[in-house]
Amino acid sequence: MGIKKDNKIKIFCKQKRPLVCLTAYNKHMATIVDPFCDLVLVGDSLAMVLYGETNTNNASLQTMIEHGKSVVKGCAKSIVIVDMPKGTYESLPKVALKNAKKILKETGCDGVKLEGGVKISDTIKLLIKNKIPVMGHIGLMPQQVKHPKDYKVKGRSLEEQELIINDLKAVEKAGAFSVVIEAVTEKLANKLTKLSKIKTIGIGASKKCDGQILVTEDLLGFFNKNAKFVKKYADINGFISKAIKRFKSDVIKRKFPSKKNVY
Ligand code: KIV
């Protein structure tokens, strides 16, 4: 029998070594990353990675649910968290609750992630009161980015640092079990991790965070252009191109299908 959902999150929160977190958008990728991960995120980054959008804003609740369902099927050990997409939680806490319940019920995931701090602390409290585990997301919040040039490192000014520290405190006090810290200066990420009583998961933050997360397609080398914080661990594009080139050649030379591939 698998580990119960509550226990999975308790184990995550008590882990002493750095936590390994990655995104997945379907069962196939989830099955590959799950054995190595503590947490798998069904990120709304899927709007950009899978659907070719220029930002994350057009991921709908139903799209997140469909991908969430698929990822849950592929994860045996990791916590599965589904992003609440833009427009599904910011207006009213009770709207957020209704949508979060729908995500949990229809996908079978372990919790949801919401972007924001002070502004959504009442919403986080309400979800926690209703036994819905919440992961926060502070620093650079992609759902608030209106123009590609606004993907900028946060926390360079004292004013911004104070706002982000307040966001951390709000998320923590509201009861989130963990928080993603995205694209802030290393110094601020270190400070946030020192201050935080909940697990900090960095992306473009610091190696001192309690864990790290990346978009899996980024680390595999699906894209030619990436943010500075991405380290490419593979050239999957090159690998795929070589395979497709061989397929093309076999088709043209009538080498495929061979005797082995026909009935
Ligand atoms: O949407 C996403 O994939 C994310 C991660 C990059 C943290 O929020």
Side-chain angles (χ1 to χ4, degrees), residues 120-157:
I120 56 155
S121 63
D122 285 344
T123 297
I124 299 180
K125 272 185 211 154
L126 185 66
L127 300 196
I128 306 286
K129 202 173 146 199
N130 283 273
K131 301 197 177 347
I132 298 176
V134 173
M135 185 174 208
H137 187 147
I138 60 171
L140 183 109
M141 294 182 257
Q143 290 176 8
Q144 288 174 22
V145 171
K146 292 199 177 73
H147 193 273
K149 72 170 175 19
D150 297 330
Y151 284 104
K152 275 196 191 133
V153 177
K154 301 279 177 197
R156 295 218 193 269
S157 69

Side-chain angles (χ1 to χ4, degrees), residues 73-258:
K73 284 182 195 148
C75 284
K77 65 175 267 288
S78 309
I79 294 173
V80 179
I81 297 296
V82 175
D83 257 342
M84 293 197 73
K86 189 178 170 88
T88 64
Y89 64 94
E90 311 90 319
S91 61
L92 285 171
K94 65 175 187 196
V95 173
L97 179 62
K98 183 174 149 257
N99 289 330
K101 277 185 176 168
K102 187 172 163 73
I103 293 176
L104 259 82
K105 186 167 173 246
E106 293 186 22
T107 65
C109 71
D110 301 290
V112 290
K113 176 163 81 60
L114 279 67
E115 292 182 11
V118 175
K119 280 191 193 152
I120 56 155
S121 63
D122 285 344
T123 297
I124 299 180
K125 272 185 211 154
L126 185 66
L127 300 196
I128 306 286
K129 202 173 146 199
N130 283 273
K131 301 197 177 347
I132 298 176
V134 173
M135 185 174 208
H137 187 147
I138 60 171
L140 183 109
M141 294 182 257
Q143 290 176 8
Q144 288 174 22
V145 171
K146 292 199 177 73
H147 193 273
K149 72 170 175 19
D150 297 330
Y151 284 104
K152 275 196 191 133
V153 177
K154 301 279 177 197
R156 295 218 193 269
S157 69
L158 281 178
E159 197 191 346
E160 232 173 43
Q161 286 170 24
E162 206 181 306
L163 288 174
I164 297 170
I165 290 171
N166 288 342
D167 278 345
L168 170 72
K169 287 183 182 161
V171 164
E172 181 186 283
K173 196 161 168 233
F177 74 93
S178 176
V179 62
V180 168
I181 301 175
E182 179 161 354
V184 301
T185 62
E186 188 183 25
K187 199 170 154 203
L188 178 61
N190 290 345
K191 188 168 178 182
L192 291 166
T193 297
K194 222 170 178 181
L195 281 173
S196 180
K197 294 190 192 78
I198 58 175
K199 293 289 186 187
T200 60
I201 307 299
I203 173 162
S206 161
K207 64 179 168 195
K208 289 193 183 156
C209 288
D210 299 311
Q212 302 296 328
I213 188 161
L214 279 180
V215 168
T216 303
E217 282 77 358
D218 282 346
L219 80 84
L220 290 178
F222 268 84
F223 307 109
N224 295 328
K225 240 181 104 189
N226 280 117
K228 179 183 175 181
F229 60 69
V230 173
K231 177 173 171 184
K232 276 196 195 178
Y233 287 83
D235 171 23
I236 202 80
N237 269 6
F239 190 76
I240 294 173
S241 285
K242 275 185 203 146
I244 304 298
K245 199 173 162 192
R246 281 175 47 215
F247 171 70
K248 179 183 174 185
S249 163
D250 282 359
V251 169
I252 288 172
K253 291 178 188 156
R254 296 197 191 282
K255 279 189 174 171
F256 177 84
S258 74

Side-chain angles (χ1 to χ4, degrees), residues 255-263:
K255 279 189 174 171
F256 177 84
S258 74
K259 277 228 156 28
K260 281 189 221 157
N261 311 114
V262 291
Y263 299 98

